[in-house]
Amino acid sequence: MCRGMRTAPPAIEHSGATVEKMRYDRKSAALALDMSVRAVDYRLASGELESVRDGHKRYITAGTLRRYASRNHFSGLTDTTEKRKVA
């Protein structure tokens, strides 16, 4: 079965007014960040993403997603300007 492109709606329309979504479940957060649910779970476990609990469900706030998305995530790259020592 062919799947269409998945996108998370940035806002919800209600009675002609647009209301911004304030919190996301893990799947919606994954769609918003363009990553897998497992990747979101890893970031929650490591503390990179913060979550709030409401009853038995865990949610990630819109502010947390914005902060995470605005950060630089390229810390794993190495500096290529280092000169190699020749033995």
Side-chain angles (χ1 to χ4, degrees), residues 52-86:
V52 293
R53 197 172 190 100
D54 186 5
H56 68 281
K57 279 199 91 166
R58 185 162 295 281
Y59 294 99
I60 301 139
T61 62
T64 298
L65 292 176
R66 278 192 214 97
R67 280 190 299 276
Y68 179 82
S70 67
R71 289 195 327 237
N72 183 359
H73 299 283
F74 298 108
S75 61
L77 298 177
T78 58
D79 186 12
T80 58
T81 60
E82 289 182 26
K83 294 181 181 178
R84 294 183 180 171
K85 293 181 182 179
V86 179

Side-chain angles (χ1 to χ4, degrees), residues 2-37:
C2 182
R3 293 185 181 182
M5 190 160 102
R6 299 178 295 167
T7 58
I12 301 168
E13 286 192 34
H14 180 68
S15 302
T18 302
V19 179
E20 181 184 0
K21 193 169 181 178
M22 298 295 291
R23 58 187 193 172
Y24 296 78
D25 61 3
R26 291 170 33 247
K27 185 175 181 180
S28 297
L31 289 172
L33 293 172
D34 194 27
M35 62 175 57
S36 68
V37 176

